[in-house]
């Protein structure tokens, strides 16, 4: 459990400290007060760029006239079964792009943060998740996968790095070296196969969790993945066979990819789709409210899987009540409490969180600081 969060020159905060409660913490205040900045800080306590996808150089606070953001830091104190753990991250120079991580004051690789906590989040951008871009859907889904399987992040990162290197070779002024292409496609096959298997395993477990949640007032989704590698993983064809298929497909598409200037084959082209079970229609055709309810059911199913793990999930919901009716808002708050989650929720009006009165810590956000209400 997070017992304190300290922000130093992060976004709109010069210096601020928040002490959340063990359950839900509601951050309320007008637009622009800095509520989402708090969730973004918490989302950086995991590998990656956080819930806004911003570069480290863009996260530092700027005074008028300053061309670059200041060095910034996010630090949190966790209470765990083994005792207190301090996790910090930030940059050490103005405009620096390399984010460093410290655990109990010692340098650590970013992946080590996942040993202690697993942030899972939803933002207003996810309200149209199933009708927006494929890339955004897969970023969202891959985040859910590596919240359970931290190795998945490394497999996806290795695949994407090799994919960029291969495309640079194919689109360069000089003819691409076939030996180097073979080596890169070998790496793509290995990392892509592992990523595909991780996605399929996560989808099957998540679907089972969703199926078990039929008594909740959230719509259920039938999920599927469209990629060829994922289809092979679903049939149990094994890592070696999947890797070989990826290598063969990459080799066959070299000239096409060179002409297009982008890679047209591989697990990076996979898409996630969902069928609204009750209405028997694609989730992409639903309203923002329906899509948000489907996404929340996915997230609640995911954190339910993580609830008993040593690295506890924390739930970050930006503008949680938006597009939800009163019944579903109350149900969401009840589920957060029933799962024993530490959750951080934002909204412009306190009244939107009335069902949480007496069950949550309410914090007003204004002027770069916090006031417990």
């Amino acid at each position: 459990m997070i017992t304190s969060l300290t922000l130093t020159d992060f976004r709109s905060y010069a210096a601020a400290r928040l002490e959340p409660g063990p359950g839900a913490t509601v951050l309320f205040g007008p637009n622009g007060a800095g509520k989402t900045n708090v969730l973004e800080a918490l989302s950086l306590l995991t590998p990656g760029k956080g819930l806004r996808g911003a570069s480290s150089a863009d996260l530092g606070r700027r005074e008028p006239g300053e061309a670059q953001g200041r060095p910034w830091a996010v630090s949190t104190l966790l209470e765990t079964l083994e005792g207190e753990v301090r996790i910090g991250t930030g940059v050490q120079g103005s405009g620096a792009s390399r984010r460093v991580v410290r655990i109990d004051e010692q340098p650590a690789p970013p992946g080590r943060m996942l040993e202690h906590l697993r942030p899972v989040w939803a933002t207003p951008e996810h309200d149209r998740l199933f009708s927006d871009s494929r890339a955004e859907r897969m970023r969202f889904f891959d985040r859910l996968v590596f919240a359970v399987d931290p190795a998945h992040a490394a497999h996806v990162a290795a695949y994407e790095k090799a994919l960029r290197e291969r495309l640079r070779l194919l689109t360069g002024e000089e003819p691409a070296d076939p030996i180097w292409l073979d080596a890169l496609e070998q790496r793509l096959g290995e990392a892509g196969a592992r990523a595909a298997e991780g996605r399929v395993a996560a989808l099957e477990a998540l679907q089972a969790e969703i199926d078990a949640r039929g008594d909740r007032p959230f719509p259920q989704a039938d999920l599927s993945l469209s990629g060829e590698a994922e289809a092979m993983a679903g049939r149990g064809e094994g890592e070696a066979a999947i890797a070989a298929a990826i290598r063969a497909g990459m080799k066959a598409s070299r000239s096409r990819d060179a002409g297009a200037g982008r890679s047209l084959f591989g697990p990076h082209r996979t898409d996630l789709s969902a069928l609204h079970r009750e209405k028997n229609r694609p989730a992409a055709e639903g309203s923002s409210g329906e899509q948000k309810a489907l996404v929340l059911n996915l997230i609640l199913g995911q954190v339910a899987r993580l609830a008993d793990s040593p690295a506890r999930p924390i739930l970050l919901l930006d503008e949680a009540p938006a597009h939800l009716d009163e019944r579903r808002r109350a149900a969401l708050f009840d589920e957060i409490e029933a799962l024993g989650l530490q959750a951080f929720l934002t909204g412009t009006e306190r009244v939107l969180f009335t069902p949480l009165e007496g069950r949550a810590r309410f914090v007003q956000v204004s002027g770069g600081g916090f006031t417990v209400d």
Side-chain angles (χ1 to χ4, degrees), residues 56-57 90-92 95-100:
S56 297
V91 299
Q92 297 176 321
S97 59
R98 182 176 178 271
R99 182 158 69 97
V100 297

Side-chain angles (χ1 to χ4, degrees), residues 297-315:
N297 206 21
L298 262 66
I299 288 176
L300 290 169
Q302 178 73 323
V303 295
R305 294 178 60 207
L306 290 167
D308 296 324
S309 64
R312 296 274 292 172
I314 59 170
L315 184 59

Side-chain angles (χ1 to χ4, degrees), residues 25 74 80 85 115 137 146 156 182 186 191 230 241 255 309 355:
T25 296
V74 172
T80 74
V85 177
E115 297 174 7
R137 272 190 299 282
F146 86 69
V156 171
D182 286 344
Q186 175 77 21
E230 286 78 10
S255 60
S309 64

Side-chain angles (χ1 to χ4, degrees), residues 7 9-16 32-35 37-38 59-62 365 367-369:
L7 308 178
D9 282 323
F10 180 81
R11 291 291 194 185
S12 56
Y13 295 95
K35 304 181 299 295
N37 293 343
V38 177
L59 298 175
R61 188 174 66 91
R62 298 185 188 187
V365 181

Side-chain angles (χ1 to χ4, degrees), residues 14 39 51 58 82 89 103 105 121 133 186 225 231 233-234 237 243 277 290 294 330 356 373:
L39 300 194
L51 61 80
D58 294 331
E82 289 75 33
T89 188
I103 298 178
E105 310 303 332
W121 60 80
S133 74
Q186 175 77 21
L225 290 165
E237 295 193 29
R277 187 179 300 172
E290 285 179 333
L294 284 164
L356 281 173
D373 201 37

